[in-house]
Amino acid sequence: MQLDQIRQIAVIGLGRMGHGIAQTFAMAGCQVHGFDESDDARATVHRRIRGNLEDFARNDMVDGTEIDVVLDRIVVADTEARAAAGADFVVEAIAEQLTAKQEFFARIEDAVADTTIIASNSSTYTISESGVNMRRPARAVVTHWFNPPHIVPTVEVVPGPETTEEVTETTVALHRKIGKLAVRVNAEIPGFLVNRVQIAMIREVWDLYERGIASREDIDAALRGSLGFRLAACGPLAICDFGGVDIWATVYKGLAPDLRHDAEVPESIQKLVDADRCGTRTGSGIHDYDPQTIDDVTSQRDETMLKLAKLLYDPQ
Ligand SMILES: NC(=O)c1ccc[n+]([C@@H]2O[C@H](COP(=O)([O-])OP(=O)(O)OC[C@H]3O[C@@H](n4cnc5c(N)ncnc54)[C@H](O)[C@@H]3O)[C@@H](O)[C@H]2O)c1
């Protein structure tokens, strides 16, 4: 499948990730057919995407008069097979359960043409794992988006050992064409690229939090205003060059042995999970949220990210 042959996209699973993925393809002019096993997800997807598009319009990232045009490009099917029929590119964003993914990849091949590329948005499972029962794994690949997917620029493209070069290259090119910062990960390793770095960072952050080295507010503020600020402007390897690789090597040597290096979830974090203090979804987590304004917290986050996306990644 070549890039210019891709016109119709199927998105299976229209939850937090799938609806934003569908929106992004539709904003780029693709015809999108979506399906979710949940009646509620199917019934609400246009309303959720409309809300996102209104945020985009407020930030001049979409013309307000285009909102209905974009929404009209998204058709919700009543079965998975109907959503997939005629698709040139299928992406699944269903639940993160290996068996469900494996069943999906085995099943979906019968619903699409031999040339259709089939992608997984799994944040954990490689395409070798999800596609283990496929007849033609050469056409399968991971495309790992980041939440909120309609705003965060990066998509990691991770081929498996059986994925063809053409499928990988076309997938990278497709995501660049729809405005994403598509990066190719050369080897199938757990967590791909970004989540490995993220987990390395959060291990140390949780350790500092658990030891009371600073307040939770100060930890968040310190990292936003330093690493987060710098990383928005240039990548960590470039930052090493600006700071001096020799200095970084010295600091690394002195500090690395002192960093947390076990693989246990810190006790204080496990306690939060056990108490169902899982974050904004449950109303409290590391931070506490006012039930009256909890939706506003997410909106404020999206608004800040949209401004950053416009500043750093909007080509217009
Ligand atoms: N949430 C994140 O931050 C994030 C980031 C990157 C990747 N991912 C990955 O994206 C995928 C989806 O995550 P999410 O956060 O959108 O979850 P979610 O629970 O918000 O959405 C999943 C949707 O899939 C539907 N679904 C489940 N099984 C299905 C099936 N067999 N057929 C059709 N629909 C089905 C559910 O009804 C639900 O609406 C997961 O693989 C997850 O690991 C999530």
Side-chain angles (χ1 to χ4, degrees):
M1 177 71 67
Q2 304 282 329
L3 179 62
D4 57 7
Q5 296 171 296
I6 298 183
R7 291 189 182 85
Q8 190 171 313
I9 310 293
V11 181
I12 310 299
L14 299 170
R16 196 169 15 205
M17 298 303 289
H19 89 287
I21 294 171
Q23 173 188 335
T24 308
F25 278 109
M27 284 179 72
C30 300
Q31 189 66 35
V32 180
H33 290 202
F35 173 72
D36 194 295
E37 67 177 13
S38 145
D39 295 344
D40 183 61
R42 291 200 306 279
T44 59
V45 67
H46 280 97
R47 180 173 56 70
R48 287 179 283 137
I49 295 176
R50 180 181 290 282
N52 295 342
L53 288 168
E54 284 168 357
D55 292 344
F56 274 60
R58 263 198 311 282
N59 285 281
D60 298 323
M61 293 173 79
V62 76
D63 190 318
T65 60
E66 284 289 302
I67 291 178
D68 285 328
V69 178
V70 173
L71 287 170
D72 284 348
R73 291 192 193 116
I74 303 169
V75 175
V76 178
D78 55 2
T79 66
E80 177 186 282
R82 285 201 185 108
D88 306 304
F89 186 93
V90 178
V91 54
E92 68 79 14
I94 66 171
E96 187 74 348
Q97 292 160 4
L98 185 54
T99 322
K101 304 263 191 214
Q102 290 175 336
E103 287 169 2
F104 169 82
F105 275 91
R107 197 170 60 231
I108 200 70
E109 281 191 290
D110 291 332
V112 295
D114 281 352
T115 48
T116 301
I117 297 174
I118 310 173
S120 171
N121 183 50
S122 173
S123 27
T124 323
Y125 303 118
T126 61
I127 204 62
S128 302
E129 293 171 301
S130 299
V132 69
N133 299 320
M134 289 181 80
R135 289 191 308 278
R136 300 185 63 247
R139 55 150 86 189
V141 67
V142 163
T143 51
H144 182 218
W145 298 55
F146 294 84
N147 185 35
H150 45 289
I151 303 177
V152 180
T154 293
V155 175
E156 295 178 302
V157 176
V158 193
E162 312 227 35
T163 313
T164 64
E165 185 57 26
E166 181 181 288
V167 164
T168 308
E169 281 304 308
T170 302
T171 302
V172 169
L174 173 66
H175 288 78
R176 288 188 181 153
K177 189 176 161 187
I178 64 167
K180 284 297 176 187
L181 180 69
V183 294
R184 180 181 171 145
V185 179
N186 292 324
E188 252 196 358
I189 53 171
F192 316 130
L193 187 161
V194 176
N195 276 349
R196 292 180 78 87
V197 177
Q198 187 159 253
I199 290 298
M201 185 198 77
I202 209 69
R203 174 164 61 184
E204 187 58 27
V205 168
W206 278 352
D207 189 59
L208 295 169
Y209 167 69
E210 179 160 283
R211 291 161 63 201
I213 299 299
S215 71
R216 54 195 180 173
E217 290 79 10
D218 279 352
I219 291 174
D220 274 356
L223 287 162
R224 269 188 77 184
S226 58
L227 302 193
F229 185 83
R230 281 201 313 217
L231 286 173
C234 52
L237 293 175
I239 286 174
C240 291
D241 270 351
F242 284 120
V245 182
D246 51 335
I247 295 169
W248 275 86
T250 305
V251 174
Y252 187 100
K253 202 171 160 191
L255 203 51
D258 197 56
L259 301 182
R260 184 158 186 156
H261 53 274
D262 66 7
E264 298 303 315
V265 173
E267 205 184 324
S268 58
I269 297 294
Q270 191 56 53
K271 274 190 186 154
L272 290 174
V273 176
D274 293 343
D276 202 28
R277 290 179 56 102
C278 293
T280 53
R281 179 172 56 80
T282 57
S284 65
I286 291 168
H287 297 274
D288 292 307
Y289 302 94
D290 178 349
Q292 308 297 322
T293 56
I294 201 154
D295 286 345
D296 298 345
V297 175
T298 310
S299 297
Q300 274 163 22
R301 178 206 64 172
D302 287 358
E303 198 67 21
T304 307
M305 284 191 181
L306 274 171
K307 287 189 168 54
L308 268 179
K310 185 171 169 57
L311 178 70
L312 297 171
Y313 294 100
D314 189 6
Q316 292 161 7

